[in-house]
Amino acid sequence: MVADKSASSVGEIYQAHLRRNLSITCLLVAFFLMGVTLRLWHLQIRRGDFFRERAENNRLRTLFSYAPRGVVYDRNGKVLALSRPLYKLEIVPEDVVDLDEVLLKLSRIVGKDLKDLRDAYQKGINRSRHQPIVLLNDIDRDLVGKILVRKYDLSGVQIGLVPTRNYLYSELVSHALGYIREISEAQLASSAYKDYRLGDLVGQSGIEARYENSLRGKNGKTQLIVNARGTKVKQYPLAAEVAGSDLKLTIDIELQKIADAALGDRTGAVVGLNPKNGEVLLLLSKPAFNPNLFSEALPPRIWNELLSGSRALNNRATQGTYPPGSVFKVFMLIAGLEEGVINSSFKAHCPGFYHFAGRDYKCHKKGGHGEVDLYSALVQSCDVYFYKLGERLGIDRIAKYAKLFGFGKITGIDLDSEKRGIVPSSEWKKMAFKKPEQQKWYAGETLSVAIGQGALTTTPLQIARALAAVVNGGTLFAPTILLGEKASSVRLRLKEDSLNLVKEALLGVVADESGTGKLAALPKDFGIKVGGKTGTAQVVSLAMIKGRKELDHHAWFAGYAPHEDPEIVVVALVEHGGHGGVEAAPIVGKVLERYFSKRFLHGPGY
Amino acid sequence: MAPVIKKLRELDLFLICLILLLAICGAINLYSAGLVRPDHVSANLSLVDKFLSSPVFVKQLLFYGVGFVIMLIFAFVPSQFWHKIAPYLYGLCLFCLILVFFFGVIQNGSKRWLNIFGFRWQPSEVMKYAVILMTAWIIAKFPPAPKGYTLRELLLPILIIAIPFLFVAKQPDLGTALVLAIVPGAMLIFVGVRRFVLLFSILFLLLVIPLGWNKLHEYQKRRVLTLLNPESDPRGSGYHILQSQIAIGSGRLLGKGFTKGTQSQLEFLPEHSTDFIFSVLAEEWGFVGAFFVILLYGVFILHLYMMVFKTHSAFEALIVFGITTQIFVNFAINLGMVIGFFPVVGIPFPLLSAGGSATISTLLALGIVLNVTRKLRFKELMFA
């Protein structure tokens, strides 16, 4: 470096060169400013709306308050399901003054380990410090009281309230009512549940599921403005909660109780219908479950037992499909009469078996019934008569009438996952089997279907509404379970004569000395005639084929009363119960007795 | 009074107006940024109460006032004074930096402060200006040949720059260290270096950057990486940059209105009265307000650069260039960080961010500029 002794002035340094460098500097500055301006343009103008939304999301929070769920009543106004408050012990982080002290005090009051409370707090803590953290779920009223009394020195502690269910008759109406349970992830993902949030309780089956929207009501909403620490700055209400609508069912809890007692510990179903309007008076399936258990987290052991063990969640009245056995003979007779292949004087000889295609088809009575006509064939449930009838009708005409009476399709009751059952026919066989040799319909199979066996399966509710159609003069209802709702119905084109002939025979089944359903009769002093049909359906199961164990038959009874102007149809099914006349008929008898007892005591018109 | 006014008229009044305008913008914006209870502003408060509800604003007004007085006083300190003390000031600052290295106070994981009689100060802040004076002094003493400095001639100036740089980078305070190196470096390039030296330094930097990357602390690396994708860690290292961009972007064209910025008032925006003050401005005044301040700043910086040739010696010219570059580099790094161009480094926006020492030292430096660009200095020149 060359030392510059004189006080150097700008002029002495290479001036033009400096001016150029300064211009470059100024250009760089201008360049940078342009870049900044473009960036601001990009952030504020092009993406302004996006960032405005992000800013709003930062500061706005919504708090929800739950509406009480609608109450469910039986037809006489008895409460079946209540909305009950579920109290939760909660803590709001932003309001806590001294966390350790508060948790210590709480642990003394509730008698829990301090560690458990601290763990619950740690698990729940997040950036939203205004959001309550649940320390304990479902605490009892005593504890609520104890905590509220000391609230003044429990900073940040509050009692949260979520409406849950109290099913007053726990297992008694479980299948009709269904249950509510915490919303599943699959449900949350579906569009049908778009305004639900994690942890919400949702109707999962029965009435609770079908009428979820009206029972649920509307949750209240409060808008909060929070700051970066999650502390509430302002709040204003957005929507008040609207309580869910109450529902009144057509079910009569008293009949439900009687049927439950009559069925006892056996597996099965009892259905009661009003044949005049299609109202379901009784819908029982056993084993049943306690719907009160579901609003809380259910231990997997119990859950598995409900699903696979006893299959208690299965509503056997609408989801259980069973061969109807002799109950089906009622509809065979109508088919025969309508098609003109028999009349009231058509007779058959029953030696105890029917020889057909090189095989003997047995009648349930070993010695045979001798000569039977329409009336005696139904009263004594003679199989040979119906083998002959079936042979004359052929499978496709049988199927036509079975379908006419609603078999092979759902009844349309307001409950989910109803089963259809199977009405076999030559066409059905082609659809159901793949191999050509399996697709052929054999005439022998027709004989099985004619006595309600073979591939034919029905649900108890299907039997009830089909019988209702026979005794009410030919109206097939889609049963309803909601009181005041008019059940939709189909008018069947049937001759009055055929219906009356069959009804006379149904009366005989219960009233005659030789009838199979005598045990369903009402006491003489009631003065009410009962009609009906027994069924004892053979069960062909894998276990039986392997010869391990012979399963008992399913016991059926489908009855109605009063005979002259029927107002109730009751169907009882006992899985592997044995003989229908012995096992099922008394159940129906007891339900009818209860139904008519009030009238008997108080006189007509009650 | 008359002679004082006469003296004042010698000063660059346009520059003073620009500084005043920027200070007014800064004060208005800081009032909003520093509001303690934003809700109560609309309530029926007396004017005084409203004034006092933003303590940051009140303090900053004080700093502006003190700063202006200091600026005007230093506008009349002759440049010979700075020329005389430049080497000593530099030496003192270096000594303090060494003291910091051994006896500094650790805060937030870095050793930047010196505790003298209970008063805590950062020698690196003064060093920013001392190194400018020192560089101007050495360039004036050993001016380059017309073709520019050779590498050998640059050894001494580079040493002068590198020693404080290394001490400050070690603290660690990379932001300040970079400013410490960039500004005198720019001064050297401005007066001229040989072309091959320029090429050599660029090559050198390209080599050093990958090596330096490994020397960076984990949090510093993260800051750089999150700049590329702030959404990758929105709650952690990306939080500052993301919230800042949300604040700026959500202002849209016209802004949310004075004291109505949700990001700043609800404190989603961190450091909103210091490092991220510009985000508050952009949120509440929108593109229009932000652009106005950018434009004002552009005029301010360019005007300062124009003043380089209104001086009377190489030393003075270099001081003006250095101080202007200093302000511009701080402005650019802060703005670049706030809008997502550069990684997050704690450098305030000159004259707009709250803070006593930064405001006062900037105004003091501007006082020096006012002094060397005074008009009507015949007498002084004649009798110098």
Side-chain angles (χ1 to χ4, degrees), chain A residues 21 39 49 52 58 127 228, chain B residues 190 235 250 252 263 266:
Chain A
N21 281 359
R39 176 72 176 171
D49 292 337
R52 179 62 67 96
N58 265 348
R127 280 183 64 85
Chain B
F190 168 66
R235 291 258 175 267
S250 64
R252 300 196 289 204
Q263 285 287 102
L266 298 171

Side-chain angles (χ1 to χ4, degrees), chain A residues 99-117:
Chain A
L99 181 68
D100 287 327
E101 191 195 313
V102 166
L103 288 183
L104 189 70
K105 280 180 186 163
L106 272 181
S107 83
R108 285 198 197 121
I109 296 171
V110 302
K112 284 250 177 190
D113 262 4
L114 179 60
K115 196 180 162 295
D116 294 347
L117 295 179

Side-chain angles (χ1 to χ4, degrees), chain A residues 43-44 48 51-52 55, chain B residues 245-257 281-287:
Chain A
L43 290 176
Q44 300 191 285
F51 283 118
R52 179 62 67 96
Chain B
Q245 287 186 24
I246 290 173
I248 295 170
S250 64
R252 300 196 289 204
L253 182 65
L254 298 170
K256 293 177 188 169
L281 181 95
E283 185 186 19
E284 296 190 345
W285 300 88
F287 179 77

Side-chain angles (χ1 to χ4, degrees), chain A residues 344-366:
Chain A
S344 58
S345 53
F346 171 78
K347 288 187 174 63
H349 180 73
C350 168
F353 61 88
Y354 181 58
H355 192 78
F356 180 80
R359 223 193 106 182
D360 281 346
Y361 288 82
K362 281 180 189 155
C363 181
H364 67 87
K365 193 176 176 187
K366 276 193 181 146

